Amino acid sequence: MNYNKIIKYGLTAVISLAILFFLQRLLVPKYVDDIVEGAFVAEYYEEVKDHDVIFVGDCEVYETYSPLVLWEEYGINSYIRGSAQQYIFQSYYLVEDTLRYETPDVVVFNIQSLQYDEAQSEAYNRMTLEGMKWSKTKVDAINASMKEGEQFLDYVFPILRYHTRWSALTDADFQYLFDKKKVSHNGYYMRVDVKPAENVPEGRPLGNYAFGENAWKYLDMMRELCEEKGVTLLLVKAPSLYPYWYPEYEEQVEAYAKEHGLRYINLLEDADAIGLDYSVDTYDAGLHMNLSGAEKCARFLGHVLSVEYGLEDRRGESALDASWQMKKEAYEAEIAAQKIKYGIEE
Amino acid sequence: MLFTSYLFLGFLALVLILYYVLPKRAQWPLLLIASYVFYFAAGAHFLLYMFSTTVTIWGAAVLIDKNHAAQKAYLKEHKEGMDREALKAYRSSQKKIRFRYFLAALLVNLLVLAVVKYANFFIDNVNGVLKAFGSGEGLSFVNIALPMGISFYTFQAIGYLVDVYRGNTPAEKSLPRFALFVSFFPQVVQGPINRFGEMAPTLYAPHGFDGRQVSFGLQRVLWGYFKKMVIADRILVAVTAIFGDPSHQGAYVFVGMIFYRLQLYADFSGGIDITIGIAEALGISLRENFNRPYFSKSLPEYWRRWHMSMNAWFRDYIFYPLSTSPALVALTKAVRKRFGAGAGKRVPLYISSFAAWAATGIWHGASWNFVVWGLTNWFILMLSEELTPLYARFRKMTHTEHKRSYDVFQIGRTFLLIGCVNLFDCHATLGSTFRSFASMFTMNNYHIIGDGSLLQLGLSGLDYVILAGAWLLVLAVSLVQRKGSVRAQIEPLPYAVKYVMFFGLFLIVLLMGAYGVGYDQSQFIYNRF
């Protein structure tokens, strides 16, 4: 092959790959303006990895605790690695992934996802897995999560998954083509609006309340991994009124925690102690906490972490102070912006 | 391993690389291994069916060939000492031996095909008869999975057996080489049905890397994926919605009929493009299966241009042998003597083509719908034959012999006619087929074509725009094809133009193809035959 041909074919390959790369960037969802939950997992990698507490779990975790309150009131540097309908096997791999970068003192796992033995939705898989950086952990997480019909290659080349999104592109897809704005506050998803919880339905009787083998397996794995790395595992249940948390579920978690010497806190039972008022502390009628509820829950959990677990108050560390000061400004700016958005008066 | 799966693309890339990297003597063994791996992926136990066909046909062909050779050697040595009667008797005795080999292999393979493909059809009919006579208990259905491509590879192998029996093709002495002919992975899914004599020279020959040939092959593969994934798998949604809901009658049937025609062509010819393109990239020549069939002006012409390899098979191995069989020749003579030359000429044609079309129908599927589909084709073909002089007179009278508008009318008429016949393919029972067909003429709901009802069939307005654009592209390519190979016509164009054309086509498949999550990866329609 002569020199000219090498140049010709080389240039062809470069142009083709550049076009494909550009198209892929354009077509993948940006999770910036609408469904922001898909952006949370990736934002962790932009952080300085020096956290005392890492939260993992589903929406109940990223909407229930304000890391800013944990910092401001207890000096606890925390990050929420939550994502929409995060399954327990994904929580496990997110813990494993976190431990590649840092070793927190405490991992807080929201046990709501124990009821799912396998992935329920490809869309939710995507929102958790796409944001993870490539590693063996991510490969394992994908393999553990894929539903029937999903293909591993679609995760490697997301253009194969989102190839039809060209008909649904918005301005945001072009605006955030190469650089995205942050949408969470250390993984916390803020909502300031209020929708009181009224007429919360009782749960329908189930045929089987037992958590599945797979769920238990990954909880065991998470516990063992934390033990191996010297990390304290704390099990929590967020104070969401529904999906209904059955007493049979509660018994199983309590028994597990007792058997393995783990602390388990069901915030539903501590609602009074937390000071929760479901007429003002939720934005979707009891499903998720709003800012007010999240700050109350953070205050409550911060006390546990600080007093019972003896986590050090790190306020005064100049790098962290500076970092949290910037985060606080962003936090307050969003509160102001959301109040305007939802028409909430000061 | 669907052609449209990532796994297949990876498999194909690996085979292509190894094919040109390994020593040339390893090429056909590599293809054999690849073909068996490909078939294994469809179901390990299916290999047994294919292997039994391979061994029985190969063994019978070798025995027949040996007998041919032995007869030749014997006659060379003894012919001069034999009188005419002894010669005739000897030849006859040897032919009987060969026929026994032939018949044994034929029956074994037809029996296997009959059991796996038609057993439940047979049981269903027996149960129907038992029920009609008041018997409450019927036979139980058997649970046998249909091996992938069994009709295709069985008929291809039987064609080879007939060729060897007739002495038209020497038998392949090597079992592995013959196994490759039966199992060659690109064509085992849905044909085309090839002839050993045509395929063997390039199948087993060593091939050096020829960039132009590989490029041409891959271009055709890409075109096949375009037809399959952008058109066929997109329009499938609407076809399924229409024919899957019995309340869709009248204009819906008309629209569904048109859509199904477009889907079937894009699906089947797209699959064949992928098959022939892969073979071409490997340096192997396969039969063409389509020759722009939707430009046909009559049903006979259509069947010369659609699924050509199958029609040639039925013509060469059923129609011709039957029409020249001693019994039919005798019958022809008798009819000619009694009813005249016209009737005598029609006898072999009618009977042989009836048999060929009945077989074609049952080959397509184990249901009465397919039998009636075949016989409807036969009836229209014979009617068309009878009416040909009348048409000629009509065109002469109306001075439309050389009118382009009349050609267009004929093309449209043939398209619709085939569409109506194919309704048998869209329904599970004869009753629902006839109801659908009649509703097109009795139900006045054609307003649905313009009132947005078609947007309720699972396709968005954008999907219809994509389909229209894609079909215009297929039409344009078909028009260019009249002057010969499209790829050969593109070849002299500047490199940048070619790059834009083919990379553009690749991007269309990538971005507009119906694949991945949210789409059902559908098998090719002809897989089920």
Side-chain angles (χ1 to χ4, degrees):
Chain A
M1 196 183 281
N2 63 33
Y3 186 72
N4 283 342
K5 276 193 172 175
I6 292 172
I7 295 280
K8 186 170 82 173
Y9 292 131
L11 205 59
T12 304
V14 169
I15 291 171
S16 303
L17 290 174
I19 291 171
L20 290 172
F21 175 74
F22 171 80
L23 285 172
Q24 177 157 294
R25 293 299 299 236
L26 181 65
L27 292 171
V28 293
K30 308 301 181 292
Y31 301 120
V32 172
D33 287 337
D34 43 9
I35 308 167
V36 296
E37 294 92 324
F40 298 164
V41 171
E43 287 186 355
Y44 167 76
Y45 300 102
E46 296 167 27
E47 287 289 305
V48 175
K49 317 290 190 303
D50 181 23
H51 299 106
D52 308 311
V53 177
I54 291 289
F55 293 82
V56 287
D58 55 15
C59 54
E60 287 195 358
V61 79
Y62 65 69
E63 293 182 284
T64 302
Y65 311 100
S66 164
L68 184 72
V69 169
L70 287 174
W71 172 254
E72 287 203 313
E73 299 194 12
Y74 301 98
I76 295 170
N77 186 25
S78 66
Y79 199 95
I80 302 170
R81 299 207 73 183
S83 51
Q85 196 149 12
Q86 187 181 101
Y87 305 106
I88 184 167
F89 32 90
Q90 293 167 345
S91 298
Y92 166 77
Y93 286 112
L94 281 170
V95 172
E96 188 179 284
D97 184 59
T98 303
L99 292 172
R100 293 170 58 229
Y101 299 97
E102 59 179 329
T103 308
D105 295 320
V106 178
V107 163
V108 179
F109 170 57
N110 190 71
I111 44 72
Q112 167 80 9
S113 61
L114 274 171
Q115 61 189 293
Y116 301 114
D117 208 35
E118 54 189 33
Q120 307 290 305
S121 155
E122 185 263 351
Y124 286 127
N125 276 348
R126 287 270 159 189
M127 283 197 255
T128 299
L129 300 168
E130 277 177 358
M132 290 178 75
K133 277 197 173 171
W134 278 103
S135 64
K136 183 181 175 299
T137 300
K138 177 165 177 167
V139 171
D140 292 342
I142 293 171
N143 284 327
S145 304
M146 280 193 299
K147 283 167 63 66
E148 193 181 336
E150 283 195 73
Q151 306 269 350
F152 186 82
L153 210 60
D154 289 347
Y155 285 93
V156 181
F157 302 110
I159 191 172
L160 297 171
R161 168 63 183 86
Y162 297 112
H163 63 99
T164 54
R165 261 200 88 237
W166 54 268
S167 60
L169 292 177
T170 64
D171 289 346
D173 287 299
F174 293 92
Q175 190 180 347
Y176 302 112
L177 194 56
F178 295 108
D179 193 22
K180 286 198 281 187
K181 65 177 182 185
K182 275 199 172 187
V183 294
S184 80
H185 303 273
N186 271 37
Y188 167 61
Y189 173 57
M190 182 194 291
R191 287 289 294 265
V192 303
D193 48 326
V194 179
K195 185 179 179 186
E198 296 164 346
N199 304 322
V200 178
E202 285 287 306
R204 286 179 307 173
L206 302 181
N208 181 14
Y209 295 92
F211 298 140
E213 275 182 29
N214 202 40
W216 286 125
K217 183 183 95 174
Y218 277 97
L219 185 57
D220 282 339
M221 286 166 68
M222 193 186 298
R223 178 180 51 78
E224 285 162 10
L225 182 63
C226 287
E227 283 171 6
E228 184 192 325
K229 298 287 182 181
V231 177
T232 302
L233 178 63
L234 171 61
L235 307 180
V236 295
K237 168 70 186 84
S240 300
L241 296 178
Y242 62 88
Y244 187 72
W245 185 248
Y246 295 91
E248 291 85 350
Y249 287 173
E250 181 72 1
E251 285 166 15
Q252 292 174 76
V253 179
E254 282 176 352
Y256 184 88
K258 192 176 176 188
E259 183 187 349
H260 296 286
L262 298 174
R263 177 81 196 274
Y264 167 53
I265 305 171
N266 184 345
L267 272 68
L268 271 168
E269 294 177 350
D270 291 317
D272 291 339
I274 296 166
L276 282 177
D277 176 354
Y278 286 99
S279 66
V280 294
D281 290 333
T282 165
Y283 73 88
D284 52 6
L287 185 58
H288 300 108
M289 296 291 103
N290 61 14
L291 178 67
S292 164
E295 290 191 338
K296 288 177 185 174
C297 290
R299 225 162 263 134
F300 177 84
L301 195 69
H303 178 79
V304 172
L305 291 167
S306 179
V307 175
E308 295 185 25
Y309 288 85
L311 290 189
E312 186 187 349
D313 182 349
R314 298 177 70 187
R315 284 174 290 185
E317 288 185 25
S318 56
L320 281 176
D321 282 341
S323 168
W324 276 106
Q325 181 56 37
M326 284 172 64
K327 288 173 180 175
K328 184 180 180 181
E329 285 164 17
Y331 188 86
E332 287 173 345
E334 180 157 0
I335 292 173
Q338 285 204 19
K339 281 185 173 173
I340 293 168
K341 182 181 174 185
Y342 294 111
I344 299 168
E345 291 178 11
E346 292 292 337
Chain B
M1 206 190 302
L2 293 172
F3 274 6
T4 49
S5 66
Y6 302 145
L7 186 62
F8 179 76
L9 291 176
F11 169 81
L12 178 61
L14 183 68
V15 170
L16 272 173
I17 291 167
L18 288 176
Y19 190 75
Y20 288 112
V21 167
L22 291 175
K24 287 177 186 168
R25 66 176 182 281
Q27 285 179 325
W28 76 259
L30 169 74
L31 290 183
L32 176 62
I33 293 166
S35 298
Y36 268 68
V37 168
F38 177 79
Y39 207 77
F40 178 82
H45 60 292
F46 290 164
L47 275 175
L48 285 175
Y49 292 105
M50 179 186 269
F51 195 65
S52 72
T53 296
T54 303
V55 171
T56 52
I57 299 279
W58 171 79
V62 167
L63 289 172
I64 290 168
D65 203 45
K66 274 186 181 169
N67 183 278
H68 268 303
Q71 177 180 316
K72 202 172 170 186
Y74 181 86
L75 289 178
K76 193 176 177 185
E77 201 173 320
H78 300 97
K79 194 176 178 182
E80 287 180 3
M82 295 170 82
D83 60 24
R84 198 174 161 179
E85 285 304 311
L87 200 60
K88 197 175 169 184
Y90 174 74
R91 279 184 174 143
S92 174
S93 69
Q94 294 306 304
K95 193 175 179 184
K96 273 182 190 165
I97 293 170
R98 292 196 295 272
F99 186 69
R100 274 188 217 126
Y101 296 144
F102 168 77
L103 195 63
L106 183 72
L107 289 179
V108 164
N109 283 280
L110 289 181
L111 187 68
V112 170
L113 188 63
V115 169
V116 298
K117 193 167 176 178
Y118 303 106
N120 283 332
F121 176 54
F122 177 75
I123 291 168
D124 191 33
N125 283 290
V126 169
N127 287 346
V129 172
L130 290 175
K131 198 177 171 187
F133 284 96
S135 171
E137 285 191 23
L139 302 172
S140 302
F141 288 103
V142 292
N143 184 19
I144 305 175
L146 189 65
M148 180 176 75
I150 188 168
S151 300
F152 286 100
Y153 74 69
T154 302
F155 274 51
Q156 179 163 302
I158 288 174
Y160 159 79
L161 182 67
V162 175
D163 287 345
V164 173
Y165 176 70
R166 287 173 178 167
N168 295 340
T169 298
E172 172 56 58
K173 304 290 186 294
S174 157
L175 177 61
R177 280 162 67 101
F178 181 69
L180 174 59
F181 169 69
V182 176
S183 65
F184 184 48
F185 74 88
Q187 63 152 56
V188 79
V189 179
Q190 56 179 353
I193 303 171
N194 282 279
R195 307 295 168 85
F196 185 80
E198 293 169 358
M199 196 175 159
T202 53
L203 184 63
Y204 307 122
H207 299 282
F209 181 80
D210 178 343
R212 181 177 182 270
Q213 181 179 271
V214 173
S215 168
F216 265 37
L218 295 181
Q219 286 167 17
R220 186 154 181 185
V221 170
L222 180 60
W223 183 240
Y225 278 117
F226 168 76
K227 287 200 272 190
K228 168 70 177 161
M229 295 167 77
V230 179
I231 300 175
D233 285 354
R234 174 168 270 103
I235 208 166
L236 160 76
V237 177
V239 172
T240 308
I242 290 173
F243 293 113
D245 180 354
S247 72
H248 283 139
Q249 297 290 336
Y252 281 107
V253 177
F254 180 76
V255 171
M257 179 183 84
I258 306 280
F259 282 5
Y260 183 64
R261 290 305 301 144
L262 304 181
Q263 183 207 349
L264 189 61
Y265 176 70
D267 186 279
F268 193 16
S269 74
I272 292 295
D273 282 332
I274 295 170
T275 293
I276 295 179
I278 293 170
E280 195 173 347
L282 296 165
I284 295 161
S285 299
L286 299 182
R287 279 189 164 217
E288 286 295 340
N289 219 26
F290 296 95
N291 178 20
R292 300 180 302 117
Y294 286 171
F295 287 95
S296 304
K297 294 177 199 159
S298 66
L299 197 63
E301 185 188 353
Y302 172 82
W303 279 113
R304 287 193 296 274
R305 299 169 73 161
W306 172 275
H307 207 173
M308 291 147 64
S309 67
M310 180 202 69
N311 295 318
W313 196 97
F314 282 106
R315 182 193 65 212
D316 294 349
Y317 299 117
I318 292 187
F319 179 81
Y320 285 154
L322 205 59
S323 56
T324 56
S325 64
L328 210 52
V329 168
L331 181 66
T332 303
K333 278 182 186 167
V335 171
R336 185 182 294 150
K337 198 173 174 183
R338 191 175 172 97
F339 298 105
K345 193 179 74 178
R346 285 177 173 83
V347 166
L349 176 68
Y350 280 24
I351 294 177
S352 305
S353 57
F354 181 90
W357 277 104
T360 306
I362 200 74
W363 179 88
H364 273 83
S367 82
W368 284 110
N369 262 38
F370 282 112
V371 176
V372 175
W373 170 87
L375 296 181
T376 305
N377 271 294
W378 169 79
F379 176 75
I380 298 173
L381 284 167
M382 294 304 102
L383 193 66
S384 170
E385 180 78 16
E386 294 297 336
L387 294 178
T388 299
L390 195 68
Y391 283 141
R393 278 208 298 279
F394 173 76
R395 293 193 71 174
K396 201 171 178 183
M397 270 169 54
T398 53
H399 306 291
T400 52
E401 284 163 304
H402 304 294
K403 286 265 172 66
R404 214 172 179 78
S405 57
Y406 193 79
D407 291 347
V408 173
F409 160 73
Q410 284 183 303
I411 289 170
R413 179 195 60 186
T414 305
F415 182 85
L416 291 176
L417 190 61
I418 294 290
C420 292
V421 175
N422 270 359
L423 283 178
F424 287 110
D425 198 6
C426 301
H427 291 277
T429 64
L430 290 173
S432 57
T433 309
F434 287 123
R435 264 196 304 281
S436 273
F437 176 73
S439 75
M440 286 197 290
F441 306 98
T442 57
M443 225 170 146
N444 184 17
N445 62 341
Y446 281 81
H447 57 85
I448 60 114
I449 292 171
D451 70 1
S453 300
L454 299 186
L455 294 172
Q456 309 303 315
L457 298 173
L459 295 182
S460 65
L462 189 63
D463 283 317
Y464 283 108
V465 171
I466 292 171
L467 282 170
W471 263 106
L472 281 176
L473 188 57
V474 171
L475 184 68
V477 167
S478 295
L479 291 172
V480 174
Q481 266 179 337
R482 290 186 301 181
K483 293 177 189 166
S485 161
V486 178
R487 290 167 292 164
Q489 291 177 67
I490 290 173
E491 195 180 16
L493 295 175
Y495 180 77
V497 175
K498 286 189 287 187
Y499 170 73
V500 169
M501 289 173 87
F502 286 110
F503 191 62
L505 186 64
F506 169 74
L507 289 181
I508 289 173
V509 175
L510 184 72
L511 301 180
M512 297 180 189
Y515 66 92
V517 174
Y519 293 98
D520 284 335
Q521 271 194 324
S522 67
Q523 280 278 9
F524 287 90
I525 293 173
Y526 265 72
N527 276 187
R528 65 176 194 246
F529 302 145

